[in-house]
Amino acid sequence: MTASKAQIAVVEDDSALRELLVEELEAEDYKVFAFPSTEDYQAELPSVDVVVSDIRLPGSSGLSLLEHVREAGAPALILITAFATVDQAVDALKQGAADFLTKPLDVEHLLLSVQRVLEHRLLKQELTRFKSQQKGPAGLIGQSPAMRKLYHQIERLGTAGGSVLITGESGTGKELVARAIHELSERRDKSFQAVNCAGIPSELMESEFFGHTQGAFTGAQGKRLGLFKQVDGGTLLLDEIGEMPLALQAKLLRVLQEGTLRAVGSDEEEKVDVRIIAATHQNLEQRVRDGEFREDLFYRLETFSVKVPALRERGEDVERLAHHFISVYAERAGKRITDIDTDALDILYRYRFPGNVRELQNAIERAVTFAQSHHLQVDDLPERMLEVRDPIADKQPHWHTLQAHQDAYIQDVMNHVGGNKKKAAEILGVTRRTLYRWLEGQTDQSES
């Protein structure tokens, strides 16, 4: 946004002042719209970058424009006020106004304020554009080497077509990765459904996945399609696949190998076309060794596997994600929170995040809720995170004076030579007279 392209609206009922402001702003190469009241401005609502408005106007006051400037992409608001309404102007700043100027108006001050506001607006736009570039497929956020590697794998898996195994710690975003794979596949226009295998009672799991016929068991009053048939043609995410019972694993393997299933209580095989994506935070190889997971199913799933990195392995993505969540929860809470203090950010970098991205998300949501300023601060973070603070860094380091170092060195030499001042002076490279003076100085300091 250059000065020649920026557009300014002036809302002022004093015609002489209005004409002066228009003239001065146009001289700076701004395109200017002028209105005598907020009603006239709102009736036209020109697309502008900054609104310069008096507070006291006929009809609605300039403060009424605050509701408008809170909207996304709305212009910045600079208020002109008499000294009697300075308190109102300060309150307006808290509510979203960009600046306020007092009468009698200093035109040079106004021009500087407009320039500063425009520069700030440009920076915000560039930051928004930069943040939008930090997103990967399906809205995944991060540009660390670990995430760029993951994006490449997702793109390859999207077109591969086979079943996929996603591994990674809890809270790393395995479901988002599964959605990204689906959205990059030929099935993107079909259904995507996620089911947590740990959340379904084992006695109901077979019916949930494969469906049942009427009368198949007590309470089965009608035919029911299972998840595989409901998602036919699309993608089914089996989260926490390690919790699936062995008997059901055998039926899942048949779906993967033959593309057929048999509903509970039915003698007929049905064709089904579903892409299976499995996810787990467990070590499936260990579960295979322990006899808790079928080896043949593991190798079938593991053909295309991808590991989602832990948050502690993602470097500066911690800051990117923190800013993203700040933006989301600040908007949801109606708060004007735009950043996070350096000390608070340092704590996020130090913290190990055993709960990964989900834990960071919850921490930022809590911090936004309790924040009292426009920046998240250390005390806004959960108490458990504050334990990573470096106690040494939190204290002012104690530095000894040069004199103290010299005195300690002289004493070491004196101890080494057994108090022989002649030998000590030779080692120190000074005359005995100088050594006596130093020693006398030490004595004076200890007596004082």
Side-chain angles (χ1 to χ4, degrees):
M1 183 195 310
T2 62
S4 60
K5 293 181 180 179
Q7 301 190 133
I8 317 291
V10 174
V11 184
E12 172 60 62
D13 61 322
D14 183 329
S15 60
L17 179 56
R18 186 170 66 248
E19 290 175 8
L20 173 64
L21 294 179
V22 170
E23 182 180 333
E24 292 291 341
L25 289 166
E26 287 181 340
E28 295 295 318
D29 224 6
Y30 299 123
K31 183 175 181 180
V32 185
F33 303 86
F35 305 93
S37 68
T38 57
E39 287 79 6
D40 291 313
Y41 165 74
Q42 289 174 324
E44 187 169 330
L45 278 182
S47 177
V48 296
D49 302 294
V50 180
V51 176
V52 179
S53 175
D54 200 342
I55 286 185
R56 288 188 175 178
L57 293 164
S60 300
S61 73
L63 294 173
S64 65
L65 296 174
L66 277 173
E67 290 297 325
H68 178 62
V69 302
R70 285 199 190 102
E71 299 173 5
L77 177 62
I78 299 175
L79 293 169
I80 303 172
T81 177
F83 285 108
T85 56
V86 166
D87 288 342
Q88 283 183 304
V90 172
D91 287 339
L93 288 179
K94 294 178 181 178
Q95 297 176 49
D99 199 359
F100 75 90
L101 309 171
T102 57
K103 292 181 179 179
L105 189 62
D106 184 331
V107 175
E108 288 299 321
H109 191 181
L110 169 69
L111 295 177
L112 285 173
S113 178
V114 170
Q115 180 181 357
R116 179 186 62 79
V117 169
L118 285 170
E119 289 174 350
H120 180 67
R121 186 175 177 83
L122 178 60
L123 285 173
K124 286 183 66 177
Q125 291 174 348
E126 290 179 346
L127 179 61
T128 300
R129 184 165 56 251
F130 173 75
K131 287 180 178 178
S132 68
Q133 294 171 349
Q134 303 306 300
K135 293 186 177 181
L140 285 164
I141 295 172
Q143 285 296 314
S144 62
M147 288 302 286
R148 288 200 297 269
K149 177 182 177 181
L150 177 64
Y151 297 158
H152 178 70
Q153 292 174 321
I154 288 172
E155 290 171 1
R156 299 291 294 273
L157 291 172
T159 57
S163 55
V164 178
L165 176 62
I166 302 175
T167 62
E169 296 177 12
S170 294
T172 51
K174 297 187 287 295
E175 183 173 338
L176 287 177
V177 172
R179 287 184 180 277
I181 292 171
H182 170 74
E183 290 181 12
L184 292 175
S185 74
E186 295 180 351
R187 301 173 185 264
R188 67 179 67 90
D189 297 327
K190 302 294 184 179
S191 175
F192 173 91
Q193 191 164 333
V195 57
N196 189 329
C197 296
I200 303 176
S202 57
E203 63 272 15
L204 299 179
M205 196 173 285
E206 184 175 4
S207 173
E208 284 291 317
F209 284 118
F210 300 103
H212 61 254
T213 61
Q214 183 176 359
F217 50 84
T218 302
Q221 298 178 356
K223 181 180 179 180
R224 183 182 184 279
L225 294 179
L227 287 169
F228 285 101
K229 291 299 288 184
Q230 292 175 33
V231 190
D232 201 4
T235 303
L236 179 63
L237 168 63
L238 302 179
D239 201 5
E240 299 303 338
I241 184 72
E243 299 297 328
M244 181 176 285
L246 285 168
L248 199 60
Q249 291 177 28
K251 299 194 77 171
L252 173 61
L253 182 62
R254 182 168 180 79
V255 173
L256 291 173
Q257 291 177 334
E258 307 296 336
T260 61
L261 60 81
R262 183 180 296 172
V264 177
S266 174
D267 295 327
E268 296 181 2
E269 294 280 350
E270 298 180 71
K271 283 287 186 180
V272 66
D273 176 24
V274 177
R275 185 180 194 183
I276 301 298
I277 299 181
T280 184
H281 72 283
Q282 298 178 340
N283 184 336
L284 288 188
E285 290 183 84
Q286 183 60 50
R287 290 185 69 82
V288 168
R289 288 192 290 269
D290 294 340
E292 297 173 341
F293 200 84
R294 291 182 64 102
E295 184 177 29
D296 47 5
L297 176 59
F298 170 70
Y299 287 121
R300 178 77 188 206
L301 292 172
E302 204 242 356
T303 302
F304 295 116
S305 63
V306 59
K307 181 180 179 181
V308 185
L311 183 55
R312 60 183 171 275
E313 301 169 356
R314 295 176 54 181
E316 292 183 358
D317 284 347
V318 170
E319 184 173 356
R320 294 185 178 101
L321 285 161
H323 279 108
H324 170 71
F325 293 134
I326 288 171
S327 176
V328 170
Y329 289 113
E331 181 179 356
R332 192 173 296 177
K335 289 189 171 183
R336 213 174 145 231
I337 301 173
T338 57
D339 210 342
I340 181 169
D341 283 349
T342 303
D343 290 343
L345 187 59
D346 181 58
I347 286 176
L348 295 185
Y349 274 121
R350 288 174 179 270
Y351 188 66
R352 296 290 291 171
F353 282 103
N356 293 288
V357 178
R358 186 184 298 121
E359 185 180 9
L360 173 61
Q361 180 177 357
N362 293 338
I364 295 298
E365 181 179 13
R366 178 198 184 280
V368 168
T369 300
F370 287 97
Q372 297 295 315
S373 71
H374 296 328
H375 293 70
L376 295 189
Q377 300 177 12
V378 169
D379 291 340
D380 298 325
L381 297 175
E383 190 68 29
R384 68 181 181 281
M385 292 186 175
L386 306 188
E387 296 175 1
V388 302
R389 282 187 291 192
D390 186 351
I392 297 176
D394 290 342
K395 298 179 181 178
Q396 185 69 25
H398 177 69
W399 295 100
H400 293 290
T401 64
L402 183 61
Q403 184 65 51
H405 281 288
Q406 177 177 295
D407 291 345
Y409 180 62
I410 293 171
Q411 192 59 53
D412 286 343
V413 173
M414 289 294 291
N415 292 337
H416 174 69
V417 298
N420 187 316
K421 295 182 177 62
K422 180 179 179 181
K423 289 183 178 179
E426 290 174 354
I427 293 173
L428 293 168
V430 297
T431 65
R432 274 185 286 177
R433 185 174 180 178
T434 298
L435 176 60
Y436 280 121
R437 190 171 67 251
W438 282 351
L439 293 173
E440 288 173 0
Q442 290 181 2
T443 303
D444 292 341
Q445 289 177 17
S446 63
E447 293 176 350
S448 59

